[in-house]
Amino acid sequence: MRTIFIVVLLGFSVCSFAQWKDYKLTSKGDTLNRIDKIGRKWGPWKHHYDNVRGEPGYEEEGWYEKDRKEGEWRLYSLMGDLVGIEYYKWGLKDSICRYFTKDGALRLEQSWRALNPDKEYDTLEIEDPDKFDTYRTVIVKNEGAAIKHGIWKYYDPVSGRVIRSEMYTLGKLEQEAKSEPVTTEKKPVAKPKEVVEFEKKNAGKKKVRYKDGTTGG
């Protein structure tokens, strides 16, 4: 029975690998960076970007569906520090995206709204500025990109205070940036829960290693 079970398990593994035109294997044998037979990215992916013209390199990890980024994506410095958490819908940024310093302090929050790229026009519910807790439906022409929508906050990493904020409605700046004086006094700042959870989960761990793998086809 044990031999039969192993043969069946191997058969499932071969079938699983065979559906991908290209992929990488982690040290645990999981498939990563999958590309299907028609060239679309699927499942868990990891991108690596080197330093370019003074801009620091980084890595990002997340999920693809039909060649589009979907859900939560995490950005890391090349030293392995969590420096950003982004959310995607239909391959476009959506919801609140947060960015951190290498020390884990929150430095920026962006608010995005994704429009369905499969539609020429999309409908959105936005709050009526003249009536509290009242929303109206608007029709938006799809320009093929996410739009700024909501409050953008810029933080002083030292004090944790918001030093500037901007209000956007469907890509339009509704409220001029507000600024607050930045203190030079260093005070202990509580790290965002995402950073704390990341540090606890990855304490003492090394980066995941992976290797290339291809299948015939």
Side-chain angles (χ1 to χ4, degrees), residues 94-143:
D94 188 69
S95 189
I96 304 297
C97 298
R98 296 180 174 88
Y99 302 91
F100 314 97
T101 67
K102 64 179 181 179
D103 298 318
L106 182 62
R107 63 179 184 82
L108 173 62
E109 280 186 344
Q110 298 177 344
S111 182
W112 294 91
R113 181 64 62 87
L115 301 179
N116 189 343
D118 299 325
K119 296 181 179 180
E120 184 177 358
Y121 292 90
D122 208 345
T123 57
L124 296 174
E125 297 290 324
I126 64 172
E127 189 170 6
D128 191 328
D130 300 322
K131 297 180 180 179
F132 177 71
D133 205 24
T134 301
Y135 294 81
R136 58 191 174 90
T137 301
V138 297
I139 299 176
V140 182
K141 182 173 175 56
N142 194 343
E143 302 293 344

Side-chain angles (χ1 to χ4, degrees), residues 3-22:
T3 302
I4 294 175
F5 174 76
I6 293 174
V7 170
V8 172
L9 182 61
L10 287 174
F12 278 119
S13 298
V14 170
C15 290
S16 177
F17 293 156
Q19 66 180 307
W20 309 118
K21 180 180 178 180
D22 190 30

Side-chain angles (χ1 to χ4, degrees), residues 35-158:
I35 297 178
D36 67 15
K37 297 297 184 180
I38 58 176
R40 298 178 302 183
K41 300 181 184 71
W42 275 95
W45 262 73
K46 178 178 180 179
H47 292 287
H48 176 95
Y49 303 95
D50 292 320
N51 300 322
V52 178
R53 293 186 290 277
E55 292 295 322
Y58 65 96
E59 292 181 341
E60 60 177 357
E61 297 179 357
W63 190 270
Y64 274 101
E65 288 187 14
K66 296 182 180 179
D67 220 28
R68 294 172 176 172
K69 288 182 176 180
E70 192 72 24
E72 181 180 287
W73 278 73
R74 294 199 164 206
L75 283 65
Y76 304 89
S77 71
L78 297 184
M79 297 299 291
D81 302 304
L82 179 67
V83 294
I85 299 178
E86 299 176 336
Y87 293 91
Y88 286 83
K89 189 175 184 180
W90 301 305
L92 303 171
K93 284 184 181 179
D94 188 69
S95 189
I96 304 297
C97 298
R98 296 180 174 88
Y99 302 91
F100 314 97
T101 67
K102 64 179 181 179
D103 298 318
L106 182 62
R107 63 179 184 82
L108 173 62
E109 280 186 344
Q110 298 177 344
S111 182
W112 294 91
R113 181 64 62 87
L115 301 179
N116 189 343
D118 299 325
K119 296 181 179 180
E120 184 177 358
Y121 292 90
D122 208 345
T123 57
L124 296 174
E125 297 290 324
I126 64 172
E127 189 170 6
D128 191 328
D130 300 322
K131 297 180 180 179
F132 177 71
D133 205 24
T134 301
Y135 294 81
R136 58 191 174 90
T137 301
V138 297
I139 299 176
V140 182
K141 182 173 175 56
N142 194 343
E143 302 293 344
I147 55 178
K148 296 179 180 180
H149 187 68
I151 301 176
W152 284 42
K153 298 179 182 179
Y154 301 80
Y155 292 83
D156 171 28
V158 177

Side-chain angles (χ1 to χ4, degrees), residues 16-36:
S16 177
F17 293 156
Q19 66 180 307
W20 309 118
K21 180 180 178 180
D22 190 30
Y23 60 88
K24 296 179 185 296
L25 282 177
T26 68
S27 57
K28 295 182 179 180
D30 298 322
T31 55
L32 188 70
N33 290 23
R34 307 168 186 166
I35 297 178
D36 67 15

